[in-house]
């Protein structure tokens, strides 16, 4: 068995996502399991090179995680011949120039969503990566949640019949920061710093809708800034200029209607921080982060409106739990493994592994998660798919501003 090292420049790892999900629960977890078994007798060993702006924070992170290499010089990291992959979990506003520099240096690139703040920038990144022939990918973690993987299994089985409607509820209370510290970074609440719930969440909803329920064809969105002042990490009061709740309706292919509410200013009275209900002609399904439940038409009770008496029906009792039927790994780690396999294949010149310039997921075809993609297939979560998320966010903001429905066109090549 040969062990091959893959050097990964990891930028933004002192942040919440970069450290917790990507460095610790993905890359270090892969090392902890002995590397990534490629199935052909070879094992990939990820070797991170941590990059950031503050030497002190990087040194502390390196010490805490046992990673030897770190630098505050991105250019030097990109020039290091020992590294072949660049990963970016910086604040969104800092992502575009760093990704362009990495592509120009010939690195395979993988990054957090949204890939950019505008569709023009997101498309330019996708085109640059395609032209350079490097592997490219964007985090689409919700597809790898156990609850949504089970929901996908249920949909693929056909048991729901024809899909009719989808309802998504996402949100929780993000503390204001004065009387209790906020549990999200303050830039999220300043539009001038790339914040706002539309740019943060609509990219997620794009791939969830496209992959599970049908391609998004049109949308209407309204948003609001409920809380206009908050307190930052240092306890300083600031003006919250970005929207903190968004209410969107989507028309999907196949006449499916989806509504998704996203809010950082709501209190949770549901089983999970995000819950999707999908109703079909033959059955309905409800999925959260880990669980999925189904009610078939044969198990559907007959409710009669009568508020004068307590409900004779225990509505939740009539749903069947979808079994795990397997172990689910951390979704971020599962996607990292898929991307590293793809980048390794591209690096070794495997036929068909390069993203076709202008390649699109065919309308009507549901993209396949990387772990199920046939060898040689285009990476299903690439920068072009990332650009679709930015496109939806941009259209949602325009719909809100203009107060009207907008069509979602195919991405230009
Ligand atoms: N996939 C998901 O579910 C998910 C969830 C939350 C955030 N995100 C995305 O991950 C990225 C990082 O979000 P986060 O919540 O970890 O943010 P964070 O503020 O915790 O971390 C941001 C990182 O970027 C660095 N940085 C670089 N330039 C900066 C600048 N000019 N100002 C401030 N920080 C700068 C910081 O040092 C830090 O390492 C964002 O693009 C966000 O959209 C994704």
């Amino acid at each position: 068995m040969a062990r091959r090292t893959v050097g990964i420049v990891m930028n933004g790892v002192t942040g919440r996502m970069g450290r917790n999900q990507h460095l610790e629960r993905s890359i270090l977890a892969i090392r902890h399991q002995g590397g990534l078994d490629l199935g052909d007798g070879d094992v990939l060993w990820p070797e991170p090179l941590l990059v950031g702006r503050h030497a002190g924070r990087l040194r502390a992170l390196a010490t805490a995680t046992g990673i030897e290499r770190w630098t505050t010089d991105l250019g030097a990291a990109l020039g290091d011949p020992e590294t072949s992959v660049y990963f970016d979990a910086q604040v969104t506003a800092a992502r575009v120039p760093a990704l362009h520099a990495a592509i120009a240096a010939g690195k395979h690139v993988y990054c957090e969503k949204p890939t950019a703040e505008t569709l023009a920038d997101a498309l330019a990144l996708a085109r640059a990566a395609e032209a350079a022939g490097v592997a490219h990918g964007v985090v689409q973690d919700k597809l790898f949640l156990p609850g949504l993987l089970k929901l996908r299994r249920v949909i693929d089985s056909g048991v729901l019949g024809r899909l009719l409607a989808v309802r998504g509820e996402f949100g929780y209370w993000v503390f204001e920061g004065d009387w209790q510290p906020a549990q999200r970074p303050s830039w999220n609440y300043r539009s001038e710093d790339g914040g706002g719930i539309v740019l943060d969440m609509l990219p997620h909803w794009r791939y969830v809708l496209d992959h599970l329920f049908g391609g998004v064809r049109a949308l209407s969105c309204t948003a609001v800034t409920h809380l206009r002042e908050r307190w930052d990490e240092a306890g300083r009061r600031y003006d919250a200029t970005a929207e903190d709740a968004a209410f969107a309706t989507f028309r999907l292919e196949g006449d499916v209607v989806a509504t998704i509410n996203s809010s950082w200013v709501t209190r949770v009275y549901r089983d999970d921080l995000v819950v999707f209900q999908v109703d079909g002609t033959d059955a309905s399904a409800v999925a959260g982060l880990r669980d999925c439940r189904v009610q078939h038409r044969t198990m559907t009770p007959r409710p009669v409106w009568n508020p004068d008496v307590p409900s004779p029906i225990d509505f939740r009792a009539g749903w069947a739990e979808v079994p795990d039927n397997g172990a689910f790994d951390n979704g971020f780690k599962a996607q990292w493994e898929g991307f590293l396999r793809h980048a390794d294949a591209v690096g070794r010149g495997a036929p068909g592994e390069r993203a076709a310039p202008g390649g699109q997921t065919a309308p009507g075809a549901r993209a396949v998660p990387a772990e199920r993609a046939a060898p040689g297939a285009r990476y299903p979560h690439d920068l072009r798919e990332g650009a679709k998320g930015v496109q939806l966010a941009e259209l949602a903001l325009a719909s809100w501003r203009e107060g009207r429905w907008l069509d979602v066109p195919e991405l230009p090549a």
Side-chain angles (χ1 to χ4, degrees), residues 336-392:
W336 260 105
E337 293 187 344
F339 180 75
L340 288 177
R341 283 180 209 282
H342 170 68
D344 183 64
V346 170
R348 286 184 294 124
E353 281 285 353
R354 285 183 184 212
Q360 301 241 354
T361 306
R366 297 211 183 104
V368 181
E371 76 282 3
R372 287 207 259 150
R378 171 188 159 216
Y379 184 64
H381 315 287
D382 64 11
L383 286 180
R384 201 162 269 282
E385 290 297 305
K388 288 186 185 173
V390 178
Q391 176 194 40
L392 199 70

Side-chain angles (χ1 to χ4, degrees), residues 11-18 22 53-54 57 89-92 94-95 112-114 139 141-142 184-185 187-188 200 204 207 332:
N11 197 1
V13 274
T14 56
R16 209 168 54 107
M17 298 306 294
H22 295 288
R53 297 168 304 159
H54 302 290
R57 280 192 223 153
Q90 295 187 93
V91 288
T92 306
R95 182 159 302 129
E112 260 298 351
K113 46 53 61 180
V139 173
D141 53 289
K142 307 293 177 266
R184 295 185 63 93
W187 64 266
N188 284 179
D200 193 68
H204 287 301
Y207 64 74
F332 290 88

Side-chain angles (χ1 to χ4, degrees), residues 49-326:
L49 166 52
L50 310 182
V51 178
R53 297 168 304 159
H54 302 290
R57 280 192 223 153
L58 282 172
R59 192 179 300 110
L61 178 63
T63 306
T65 54
I67 299 296
E68 284 168 12
R69 303 183 69 215
W70 60 267
T71 177
T72 55
D73 185 343
L74 176 62
L78 293 178
D80 180 347
E82 301 293 311
T83 63
S84 58
V85 174
Y86 171 76
F87 171 70
D88 193 298
Q90 295 187 93
V91 288
T92 306
R95 182 159 302 129
V96 171
L99 279 184
H100 274 298
I103 293 167
K107 306 294 177 194
H108 305 304
V109 290
Y110 184 50
C111 66
E112 260 298 351
K113 46 53 61 180
T115 55
E117 292 179 273
T118 66
L119 175 59
D121 282 351
L123 265 178
L125 278 175
R127 289 179 183 133
E130 288 164 358
V134 296
H136 48 105
V138 60
V139 173
Q140 298 194 328
D141 53 289
K142 307 293 177 266
L143 292 177
F144 298 81
L145 286 169
L148 292 204
L149 286 170
K150 286 189 251 183
L151 176 59
R152 166 126 195 178
R153 194 198 298 157
V154 168
I155 293 172
D156 287 353
S157 78
V159 74
L160 301 186
R162 183 166 58 84
L163 301 192
L164 304 172
V166 177
R167 200 177 71 242
E169 280 292 335
F170 163 85
Y172 50 95
W173 190 268
V174 177
F175 283 102
E176 300 86 333
D178 51 350
W179 68 293
Q180 292 194 51
Q183 65 273 43
R184 295 185 63 93
S186 59
W187 64 266
N188 284 179
Y189 304 93
R190 294 189 295 265
S191 349
E192 61 276 23
D193 290 336
I197 201 164
V198 170
L199 188 60
D200 193 68
M201 295 313 297
L202 271 284
H204 287 301
W205 306 150
R206 178 70 194 261
Y207 64 74
V208 168
L209 292 171
D210 278 355
H211 282 242
L212 271 90
F213 311 116
V216 185
R217 296 291 173 253
L219 94 161
S220 149
C221 178
T222 190
V224 62
T225 308
H226 287 306
L227 299 187
R228 295 191 173 272
E229 63 174 0
R230 288 180 174 270
W231 283 260
D232 70 11
E233 291 76 2
R236 288 178 302 242
R237 185 208 158 277
Y238 65 94
D239 290 332
T241 48
E243 77 287 347
D244 50 17
F247 310 89
T249 308
F250 308 89
R251 279 202 298 267
L252 314 183
E253 65 187 294
D255 289 332
V256 181
V257 177
T259 58
I260 305 184
N261 296 331
S262 314
S263 176
W264 288 321
V265 197
T266 185
R267 297 180 177 88
V268 178
Y269 188 71
R270 42 188 141 81
D271 291 335
D272 267 316
L273 297 193
V274 67
V275 174
F276 290 97
Q277 170 157 349
V278 49
D279 295 310
T281 50
D282 296 354
S284 296
V286 175
L289 302 183
R290 303 194 60 81
D291 299 326
C292 182
R293 295 180 178 88
V294 177
Q295 183 170 86
H296 192 254
R297 61 203 287 258
T298 55
M299 298 300 293
T300 304
R302 180 191 299 276
V304 176
W305 183 267
N306 185 2
D308 299 335
V309 296
S311 172
I313 303 172
D314 178 353
F315 287 104
R316 286 184 185 240
W319 293 74
E321 182 91 32
V322 178
D324 284 358
N325 289 355

